[in-house]
Amino acid sequence: MRGTKWFISAAVAALAVGSGTVAQAALVPSGTAARHGTALVDDLKGDLDRYLNERGVTEHVSAVSLRTTYRDRRGTVDVAAGTTRYGGRQPVSGAALWQIGSNTKAFTSVLVLQLETEGKVSVHDRLGKWLPQYKPWRDVTIERLLNMTSGISDYANTEAFGTRISADPATTFTAEQLVSFVSRQPVGGHGFSYSNTNYLLAQMVIERVTHDSYAHQLTKRIITPLGLRDTCYAPYTCRANTVARMPAGYLKQAGLPALLDKPVPPLALTWAQGAGGLISSLADMATWDRALYEGRLLPARQQRELRSLVSVSTSAPIKETTATDPVGFGLGVAQHHTEATGAVWTYVGGTLGFRTLHMYFPGSGLIIAIGVNSSTDSDADKLPDLAQTVYQTLREHGADR
């Protein structure tokens, strides 16, 4: 099934051209951002509006929201454009909540690495130690699960899963049921191959090691300590008002024609779980990403493990991405090198109806986070292009550092 590989590709858009796009913006006025405040916000709003007008019909998307933050807390820029429903009138809020898709994977990796610091598990443990029921995969290490070199197939790309989710996108799955779609398949090659199954298995290891639920470990170790008040593990830990704060999410993927252009159930994410089951605000995402990349969650050794990259093209370990080897994957995190940005940590997470992107610039500490309310096929996915446009606008205003 195409479109469920929540990785470095995504897009944004909204209303059809001329349909009355509404935009909102706010700026916390301080530092560099404040000096360029009104003009900067106007230009960023223009970036979002143009994207909505150009991509709205193609991607059946009605809402886009942007947040930028800085390392020294000197300013935050928030811009939102579009409406909460395709063809609707209610403006989307900058405080909207989004299904964040595979941005969830870094949360799962951090839980494993925190357990490693406590001596309860090692990323070098073989899967057979913790999940012996999956005999064909018993020699796969946890590290290879997390860096996508396990060779285990992706349940989300199977015909059986596609049939089930098309028949009822609100179907409730257990992790074991999802893994069962591919559990009889042997390990493939050891090269990089993106598979959501890896992260369900990592989730199951966490539960086996802790004798606790993934949801409780996530809340206790990450969500509560970081004060992520808008972040929940859907549907289990979400508040009563979560849905009211979410724009409708739409699927625009050829692989699931029965769901095409229809709103998806907002909290129905049991099909994603530890691979993509979180809902969050862009404000919470920025808080999380800063803690993730600036070492607030892990000791130095585990932080190095988190950021240990394999080349997506060659599967070989690399220290950093380059112009000739531009995409690397760590333990639930990804790095991308472009001529304009250099090497940045970035991820696009997609579900059946949402995409969210973040970029973290190591040198300046700038974070860009964007959410949109549709999913689309990878060849139509232009969210990374919008992120590059936003970055160029920030640079032009001297607000990129």
Side-chain angles (χ1 to χ4, degrees):
M1 183 178 71
R2 292 191 66 196
T4 53
K5 292 192 174 183
W6 311 309
F7 189 36
I8 305 174
S9 68
V12 69
L15 304 173
V17 175
S19 60
T21 300
V22 180
Q24 299 174 314
L27 175 71
V28 178
S30 57
T32 302
R35 292 199 301 273
H36 302 274
T38 302
L40 172 61
V41 169
D42 287 347
D43 284 351
L44 290 172
K45 191 169 69 172
D47 292 339
L48 301 192
D49 283 338
R50 280 189 296 275
Y51 201 83
L52 291 173
N53 288 331
E54 292 170 5
R55 303 298 301 172
V57 173
T58 302
E59 297 177 10
H60 200 86
V61 48
S62 71
V64 55
S65 187
L66 163 71
R67 183 178 181 88
T68 68
T69 67
Y70 301 85
R71 178 176 287 147
D72 58 7
R73 301 186 180 183
R74 57 188 159 82
T76 297
V77 181
D78 292 289
V79 184
T83 59
T84 59
R85 300 188 68 85
Y86 191 84
R89 294 182 177 275
Q90 181 180 345
V92 66
S93 168
L97 303 182
W98 312 84
Q99 294 180 3
I100 68 170
S102 278
N103 287 284
T104 303
K105 288 182 170 68
F107 287 77
T108 301
S109 289
V110 166
L111 290 181
V112 171
L113 292 169
Q114 286 182 346
L115 291 169
E116 184 179 68
T117 68
E118 297 165 9
K120 296 177 180 177
V121 70
S122 167
V123 295
H124 303 297
D125 286 347
R126 298 180 185 274
L127 198 57
K129 177 178 179 178
W130 298 106
L131 302 176
Q133 65 269 38
Y134 300 115
K135 292 182 181 180
W137 309 334
R138 61 184 177 274
D139 291 328
V140 173
T141 64
I142 295 172
E143 181 181 40
R144 284 174 50 206
L145 294 178
L146 300 180
N147 70 12
M148 301 293 186
T149 62
S150 71
I152 295 173
S153 298
D154 188 353
Y155 71 88
N157 282 344
T158 64
E159 183 178 352
F161 172 76
T163 299
R164 286 283 300 277
I165 204 72
S166 293
D168 182 8
T171 298
T172 298
F173 295 96
T174 66
E176 289 78 8
Q177 286 172 329
L178 293 167
V179 173
S180 73
F181 286 116
V182 294
S183 61
R184 296 183 182 275
Q185 297 183 21
V187 171
H190 292 172
F192 178 87
S193 180
Y194 198 87
S195 173
N196 294 293
T197 310
N198 291 328
Y199 275 76
L200 294 191
L201 293 169
Q203 168 190 331
M204 293 164 69
V205 169
I206 290 165
E207 293 177 332
R208 184 67 59 88
V209 170
T210 61
H211 306 285
D212 193 10
S213 70
Y214 175 84
H216 185 247
Q217 287 292 309
L218 190 68
T219 301
K220 180 178 75 170
R221 291 175 176 272
I222 297 175
I223 292 175
T224 298
L226 290 181
L228 304 181
R229 296 179 180 85
D230 293 331
T231 302
C232 64
Y233 180 57
Y236 304 107
T237 68
C238 296
R239 298 177 179 178
N241 68 342
T242 297
V243 173
R245 295 179 59 190
M246 298 175 68
Y250 299 96
L251 184 137
K252 190 72 170 178
Q253 294 178 5
L256 295 171
L259 305 179
L260 200 63
D261 296 343
K262 297 178 181 178
V264 299
L267 300 184
L269 285 174
T270 64
W271 64 271
Q273 301 195 35
L278 286 179
I279 290 171
S280 191
S281 64
L282 297 187
D284 270 11
M285 273 188 61
T287 297
W288 154 253
D289 289 328
R290 192 166 302 286
L292 175 69
Y293 294 118
E294 296 183 0
R296 289 179 51 196
L297 298 161
L298 298 167
R301 175 190 161 195
Q302 277 70 33
Q303 188 73 7
R304 288 193 298 271
E305 289 177 334
L306 178 84
R307 298 164 66 124
S308 58
L309 298 172
V310 295
S311 167
V312 168
S313 60
T314 70
S315 303
I318 57 174
K319 183 177 180 180
E320 188 173 68
T321 54
T322 63
T324 56
D325 198 356
V327 184
F329 200 85
L331 305 191
V333 297
Q335 190 181 93
H336 192 195
H337 186 285
T338 72
E339 182 179 353
T341 64
V344 299
W345 296 98
T346 184
Y347 216 121
V348 177
T351 61
L352 296 179
F354 294 85
R355 282 161 292 157
T356 56
L357 172 151
H358 78 264
M359 300 175 73
Y360 173 82
F361 294 77
S364 66
L366 170 68
I367 291 175
I368 296 171
I370 305 174
V372 297
N373 68 330
S374 82
S375 62
T376 189
D377 293 317
S378 58
D379 56 357
D381 185 353
K382 301 299 181 183
L383 187 55
D385 293 348
L386 175 60
Q388 291 284 338
T389 298
V390 166
Y391 177 66
Q392 291 300 330
T393 297
L394 291 170
R395 287 190 67 181
E396 290 167 6
H397 286 271
D400 59 323
R401 59 186 62 249

